[in-house]
Amino acid sequence: MNICLFHRSRPGCVIRCLLLCVFLVMIVPHRALAAEVNDIGITDENGVNENRTVINDPGTAEDASDLRELNVSNDLTLTYRDGEGNLSGTLRILITLTLIALAPTIVIMMTSFTRILIVMHFVRSALGTQSAPPNQVLIGLSLFLTFFIMNPVITQINDTAVKPFEAGELSQTEFLDTAVQPLREFMYGQTQTKDVRLFLDIDGIEAVDNIDDIPTRVLVPAFIISELRTAFIIGFLIYIPFIVIDMVVASTLMSMGMMMLPPTTISMPFKILLFVLADGWNLVIGNLVKTFY
């Protein structure tokens, strides 16, 4: 019976020992830290030892150079410009990450990607294949064709803006103005005058003398509208031979009395055969790329 009581009371002893250990761990370091603070305390003019960690009171600085001497805890300093007027490394990394996040928008809105992708979708719809090629293949092909077409522009930006900026020959503002200039020239070459005139009228700009007088906020939407118009014109031309095949197959089925059979079921193999025999991908992609030159 005594052994049983001993075993029953043993967990309580263990709990009390654990609580005592926790108490010692929490109290002893706190007292040691307080003693340490007393050792580094500051004695004022009356000989009273003040226990504080701030050497100088906030607001005692006389000029800007004294601000660095203030030892105020939990402060945050952000340097956004160095001695040469350029952005610091931290903000440069932040801007780079922001540009990476905006890269899809820049690729879609300011390059040849939109026209290529729309034409690729028109080709797939004209063939009548719903998921062949799949969207991933069309987007990947459009992306690499965009890099191929925009390679001269990218090279010009690297030679005239990126390399001089890294060498310290250009400031931040000069770098941005120089980098966007090749893109503006590319967009202006693919934009129709009436689209530019439309957004100039909306923005209230009466007349411009050259491309430099056209704001980027006007040039980008005008470029997108021109790209959509050109892509739909190319899509219409692609649809014509396939529509002829659909009409021939539909009239043949009606003459044979097979009106319940969908014409697209019969015409799709013939359209694929025509596209393969005519080397359609070569014709479409080759002539599509040439529209940018």
Side-chain angles (χ1 to χ4, degrees):
M1 185 68 180
N2 293 334
I3 296 176
C4 296
L5 291 176
F6 174 77
H7 283 288
R8 289 180 182 178
S9 61
R10 188 173 180 180
C13 296
V14 174
I15 294 174
R16 285 194 293 270
C17 291
L18 289 176
L19 292 177
L20 180 60
C21 292
V22 172
F23 176 78
L24 293 176
V25 170
M26 296 295 293
I27 298 300
V28 173
H30 178 72
R31 292 183 176 178
L33 179 61
E36 229 179 88
V37 172
N38 289 332
D39 293 337
I40 64 172
I42 300 176
T43 304
D44 60 4
E45 57 184 4
N46 297 324
V48 179
N49 189 7
E50 298 179 356
N51 298 326
R52 57 175 182 163
T53 60
V54 179
I55 298 176
N56 297 325
D57 294 330
T60 58
E62 297 180 357
D63 53 13
S65 61
D66 292 342
L67 293 176
R68 297 182 179 179
E69 302 298 331
L70 293 176
N71 183 18
V72 181
S73 60
N74 299 327
D75 59 347
L76 176 63
T77 302
L78 180 62
T79 303
Y80 64 94
R81 289 189 181 274
D82 57 10
E84 299 178 356
N86 297 323
L87 291 178
S88 63
T90 304
L91 282 186
R92 185 174 299 181
I93 294 175
L94 178 62
I95 293 174
T96 302
L97 294 177
T98 304
L99 291 177
I100 292 175
L102 295 177
T105 303
I106 296 175
V107 170
I108 294 173
M109 297 290 105
M110 302 177 68
T111 65
S112 58
F113 181 81
T114 300
R115 184 192 303 186
I116 297 172
L117 185 61
I118 292 176
V119 171
M120 292 294 104
H121 277 281
F122 272 122
V123 172
R124 187 176 66 179
S125 299
L127 288 173
T129 55
Q130 299 299 324
S131 59
N135 291 331
Q136 292 84 349
V137 174
L138 293 182
I139 295 175
L141 178 61
S142 302
L143 188 61
F144 278 98
L145 288 176
T146 301
F147 289 154
F148 176 79
I149 294 171
M150 300 298 296
N151 182 63
V153 178
I154 297 174
T155 302
Q156 185 178 358
I157 293 174
N158 184 53
D159 294 338
T160 60
V162 177
K163 290 183 178 178
F165 176 71
E166 293 295 334
E169 300 174 1
L170 297 177
S171 62
Q172 300 289 333
T173 304
E174 294 173 345
F175 166 72
L176 294 176
D177 294 339
T178 307
V180 78
Q181 192 63 30
L183 282 175
R184 286 173 52 87
E185 294 177 358
F186 170 80
M187 290 188 294
Y188 184 77
Q190 305 297 326
T191 305
Q192 298 188 12
T193 305
K194 59 182 179 181
D195 296 328
V196 178
R197 186 71 264 171
L198 170 65
F199 287 96
L200 287 176
D201 294 339
I202 294 175
D203 201 27
I205 301 176
E206 296 297 333
V208 293
D209 297 330
N210 49 39
I211 183 177
D212 296 331
D213 297 333
I214 302 176
T216 304
R217 67 179 183 274
V218 171
L219 187 57
V220 172
F223 169 74
I224 292 300
I225 290 180
S226 298
E227 288 292 284
L228 292 176
R229 181 186 292 107
T230 305
F232 273 74
I233 292 174
I234 297 174
F236 170 75
L237 297 177
I238 291 174
Y239 255 99
I240 291 177
F242 298 106
I243 290 177
V244 173
I245 294 177
D246 287 334
M247 294 175 61
V248 171
V249 171
S251 61
T252 303
L253 291 177
M254 290 183 64
S255 62
M256 295 175 61
M258 303 175 65
M259 293 178 293
M260 300 301 295
L261 183 64
T264 55
T265 305
I266 306 299
S267 63
M268 187 174 66
F270 290 100
K271 289 190 289 186
I272 294 176
L273 179 62
L274 174 64
F275 193 75
V276 172
L277 292 177
D279 199 4
W281 289 114
N282 194 342
L283 292 174
V284 171
I285 294 178
N287 290 279
L288 180 60
V289 172
K290 292 178 181 178
T291 59
F292 293 95
Y293 296 100

